[in-house]
Amino acid sequence: MESAIQSAHPSPQKDRRKAGRVWAKLDLPLALHLASACSAAAASAASASAASSNPRWVLRRGKRESMTLFHFFNCAILTFGPHAVYYSATPLSEYDTLGTSVKAALVYLGTALVKLVCLATFLKVSENESFDPYQELLKALIGFIDVAGLYFALTQLTHRNISQNHKFQAVGLGWAFADSVLHRLAPLWVGARGLEFTWDYILQGLEANANLVFSISLAALGSLMWLRKNKPKTLIPIIYACAGIVATMPSITSYLRRGLGWHLPKVVGFELFTSLAMAFISWQLFSACQRPSA
């Protein structure tokens, strides 16, 4: 009777021995692999939770993010701030020439679209970064579409009752601001917020300042060419030569980068120096044309 009861209800010791025999039949390497994978997952989860709960790690991450935003805002102020300073520090703000600048910016956007279509149609994609004289000459010719756009902005748009001095400054300011927004805002937003610090975006802001001076100088020379009737004949070749130099400045800087192998800081320094020189020459020409003829 007792033997029948024991056979119907096996003891726990027999169950453990049977389970041990079943476990021994399993693939030992597979069991070890599963055990190691589970332990590694548990260790990584524990380390992640410990790092996220560590106040020093959180503080370091917050400092890194704040530094990237600080670098972005610094580069943005350097790129777009001079436009606002020029508008508020000159009589442009007193004569309410903001509408003229906005119209010039819209004309620039249309001009940039036409240039983009022409570049995509007539230029071929180069496989290397070498300087191609034929391609750069074609780019320079297409770049004169900017001169046509400035001509339209200065002569065909309806402006408020402002003088010629304020008109070309407002047009040049709107032109330069639209160029900075179109070519520099997206790279600045994407790149300047990166974790790795680089000087490229600071140099890009300095390049935007040089472009502001170039745009106002070209607008001043354009106003002398198209709006000033009684200018001295001896200054006409100088005015056209200076306007041609400013209009072909992108091709000149492209030759310095690709043809001569100049690095970005050297090219930006050249642009800053040339922009100041062209601004001085344009100011002297504008003053000479405003003097009463004898």
Side-chain angles (χ1 to χ4, degrees), residues 3 14 40 50 69 99 139 150 166 179 190 203 222 231 234 255 261:
S3 61
K14 290 183 178 180
L69 288 177
K139 282 184 184 179
L150 273 176
H166 301 147
D179 178 80
V190 174
L203 295 173
K231 50 182 173 289
T234 56
Y255 172 72

Side-chain angles (χ1 to χ4, degrees), residues 46-60:
S47 62
S49 61
S52 60
S53 61
N54 189 1
R56 292 183 180 179
W57 185 83
V58 174
L59 183 60
R60 250 188 270 115

Side-chain angles (χ1 to χ4, degrees), residues 85-101:
V85 172
Y86 187 90
Y87 180 80
S88 60
T90 57
L92 296 180
S93 58
E94 300 177 3
Y95 290 92
D96 193 18
T97 59
L98 184 61
T100 301
S101 298

Side-chain angles (χ1 to χ4, degrees), residues 12-230:
Q13 295 179 355
K14 290 183 178 180
D15 291 340
R16 286 195 295 267
R17 287 196 298 269
K18 185 178 181 180
R21 287 194 300 269
V22 173
W23 178 256
K25 293 179 181 179
L26 293 176
D27 191 3
L28 185 59
L30 178 61
L32 292 176
H33 178 69
L34 292 175
S36 61
C38 293
S39 62
S44 62
S47 62
S49 61
S52 60
S53 61
N54 189 1
R56 292 183 180 179
W57 185 83
V58 174
L59 183 60
R60 250 188 270 115
R61 182 179 180 182
K63 285 183 178 180
R64 192 182 299 115
E65 292 180 354
S66 63
M67 287 299 293
T68 56
L69 288 177
F70 183 71
H71 179 55
F72 167 74
F73 282 117
N74 279 339
C75 295
I77 291 172
L78 181 62
T79 304
F80 303 105
H83 302 80
V85 172
Y86 187 90
Y87 180 80
S88 60
T90 57
L92 296 180
S93 58
E94 300 177 3
Y95 290 92
D96 193 18
T97 59
L98 184 61
T100 301
S101 298
V102 172
K103 291 178 182 178
L106 294 177
V107 173
Y108 175 82
L109 294 178
T111 305
L113 180 61
V114 175
K115 285 175 59 179
L116 182 62
V117 172
C118 293
L119 290 174
T121 304
F122 299 106
L123 290 184
K124 63 179 181 179
V125 180
S126 60
E127 298 179 354
N128 50 17
E129 294 294 329
S130 61
F131 183 80
D132 189 354
Y134 174 74
Q135 295 290 317
E136 294 299 329
L137 179 61
L138 196 56
K139 282 184 184 179
L141 294 177
I142 295 175
F144 277 96
I145 298 177
D146 286 335
V147 179
L150 273 176
Y151 172 81
F152 181 82
L154 286 171
T155 60
Q156 302 299 320
L157 291 181
T158 57
H159 304 280
R160 294 173 59 92
N161 190 16
I162 57 178
S163 64
Q164 185 180 355
N165 299 346
H166 301 147
K167 182 188 295 185
F168 82 81
Q169 292 182 65
V171 169
L173 181 63
W175 197 271
F177 183 76
D179 178 80
S180 295
V181 170
L182 188 62
H183 293 97
R184 297 175 177 87
L185 180 60
L188 192 64
W189 176 257
V190 174
R193 297 185 303 121
L195 298 179
E196 184 179 356
F197 176 80
T198 177
W199 288 95
D200 292 343
Y201 301 102
I202 296 178
L203 295 173
Q204 179 179 327
L206 295 176
E207 193 174 19
N209 296 337
N211 183 72
L212 172 63
V213 180
F214 278 133
S215 299
I216 296 178
S217 300
L218 185 59
L221 295 170
S223 67
L224 292 179
M225 291 187 294
W226 304 314
L227 301 179
R228 178 70 63 176
K229 303 300 182 183
N230 55 348

